[in-house]
Amino acid sequence: EESEAGFVTKGGKTLLEAFHGSPHKFDKFSMDAIGTGEGAQAYGHGLYFADSEDVAKSYQEALSPTRGADGDYMKSLEPGNQGGGYWALYDKESGYLDTEMPMFKSEAEAQAFIDNPPTGALYRTEIDVTPESLLDWDKPLSEQSEAVRGAMGDLAKQAESDAVSPSLLSKRVTGSDGVSRYADLRELDGIDGSSAHEILESIYGTSASEQLNNRGIKGIKYLDGDSRAVGDGTSNYVIFDDSLINIAERGNA
C-alpha cells in the first residue's frame, strides 16, 4: 500500500513527516553531505525529502550500487587490477570500467563488495518546519504566506541597497508552468516561487538558501514528478537547515 506523509501534529507541535532515499547509511543529516547522493540540486541548495515513500525508494534504488533491489547488476561485474595497488570493477561482457564504483585496495575487497553490495537506506524523518515557513515553488507569491512574501520583499530591498544590477533583479525566467517570461523580484504579485528563487540564485548563487533561511524561510516545497503532470498531489521538499531534521526511522527498501 502506498505510503504518504506530510504535515502532522505531535505533542501540540507541527512537524513535516517525510521520506529520504539514499545510497548511504548515516545517523544524522548534514548539509556538508550535499552532492554525495544524486547531487542535482535542481530545486535549490539543500537536503531533499518526499511525501511519497515510493518516490524516496526510487532514489535509494537508483543511487545504490545494485541499481535496483534485486542486485542483478552486480552479478555482471568483476575485479580488475588498476595498478598502483588498486582494484576496480569491470563489466564482464563489455570490459568497461564502472566509474561510479569506489576503488579497492585488494581483489578480495573488490569481490566482497560485489558479493555484498551496500543497498543504501530509506529514512523516515520528522522535520521542524511549518507550511508557512516554506517557499512554494509552484504558487504565485501573491498566494503564499506572509512570512514568504516578507522575506522576498526584504531580499529585494537588500539587493537594491547592495547595488545589485537591475538586470539581475528583473530578468527573463522560466516559471513552474514552463513558460518563459520577465519577472521582477520587486513586484511580488507578478511572479511565482520558482521565478523568485531563480532570481535569488542569479544574485546569490547557492547561498540563496542561506539568505532565505536567515529570514525564516526554512525550505522549498514543490510537486513531485507524477503530481506535476496533473498540477496537484504529493510534494517533495528542500530543507536548508540540517538541525531541523530528526531521523525517526531508518530501514532498507
Side-chain angles (χ1 to χ4, degrees):
E1 193 173 321
E2 184 178 359
S3 177
E4 294 177 4
F7 286 96
V8 298
T9 301
K10 290 191 175 182
K13 187 178 184 66
T14 298
L15 297 170
L16 171 62
E17 186 177 76
F19 297 96
H20 177 92
S22 172
H24 310 292
K25 291 184 180 179
F26 48 84
D27 298 316
K28 184 180 184 299
F29 281 89
S30 172
M31 293 288 284
D32 293 336
I34 290 175
T36 62
E38 183 190 45
Q41 300 287 295
Y43 291 87
H45 184 74
L47 298 162
Y48 281 62
F49 300 86
D51 275 337
S52 168
E53 184 175 351
D54 287 343
V55 168
K57 280 183 179 179
S58 70
Y59 280 97
Q60 176 194 353
E61 294 184 353
L63 297 173
S64 69
T66 61
R67 308 292 200 276
D70 56 13
D72 282 345
Y73 173 77
M74 301 301 293
K75 298 172 185 176
S76 69
L77 299 179
E78 63 181 358
N81 194 330
Q82 287 290 97
Y86 289 97
W87 292 73
L89 301 185
Y90 284 82
D91 187 286
K92 292 179 182 178
E93 296 182 1
S94 69
Y96 285 110
L97 171 68
D98 189 323
T99 56
E100 296 181 12
M101 294 293 183
M103 301 290 283
F104 305 92
K105 293 183 179 180
S106 70
E107 182 177 10
E109 185 179 314
Q111 188 60 53
F113 184 91
I114 294 172
D115 295 338
N116 295 287
T119 58
L122 181 70
Y123 299 83
R124 182 174 65 83
T125 65
E126 294 171 347
I127 307 173
D128 188 10
V129 296
T130 63
E132 294 77 22
S133 67
L134 299 178
L135 171 67
D136 194 313
W137 189 268
D138 301 295
K139 284 186 177 180
L141 289 182
S142 60
E143 298 178 15
Q144 302 203 34
S145 70
E146 287 300 318
V148 168
R149 290 174 57 81
M152 288 299 177
D154 289 345
L155 283 169
K157 291 176 183 176
Q158 177 184 316
E160 284 188 300
S161 67
D162 291 343
V164 170
S165 169
S167 65
L168 292 178
L169 283 169
S170 178
K171 57 181 293 187
R172 181 171 288 279
V173 297
T174 301
S176 60
D177 57 4
V179 176
S180 177
R181 58 174 67 89
Y182 278 100
D184 193 322
L185 192 62
R186 297 161 295 186
E187 298 177 6
L188 300 183
D189 292 336
I191 59 177
D192 60 12
S194 68
S195 300
H197 186 266
E198 185 175 342
I199 293 173
L200 287 178
E201 280 205 327
S202 71
I203 299 172
Y204 298 108
T206 58
S207 65
S209 296
E210 183 179 354
Q211 294 285 343
L212 286 166
N213 189 50
N214 289 341
R215 289 164 176 77
I217 305 307
K218 302 304 180 182
I220 293 170
K221 172 185 176 181
Y222 64 96
L223 293 172
D224 61 33
D226 291 339
S227 301
R228 187 165 298 280
V230 296
D232 190 26
T234 51
S235 295
N236 294 337
Y237 305 88
V238 188
I239 303 300
F240 302 149
D241 183 349
D242 52 25
S243 70
L244 303 176
I245 306 163
N246 175 59
I247 297 175
E249 184 179 3
R250 184 184 74 186
N252 294 322

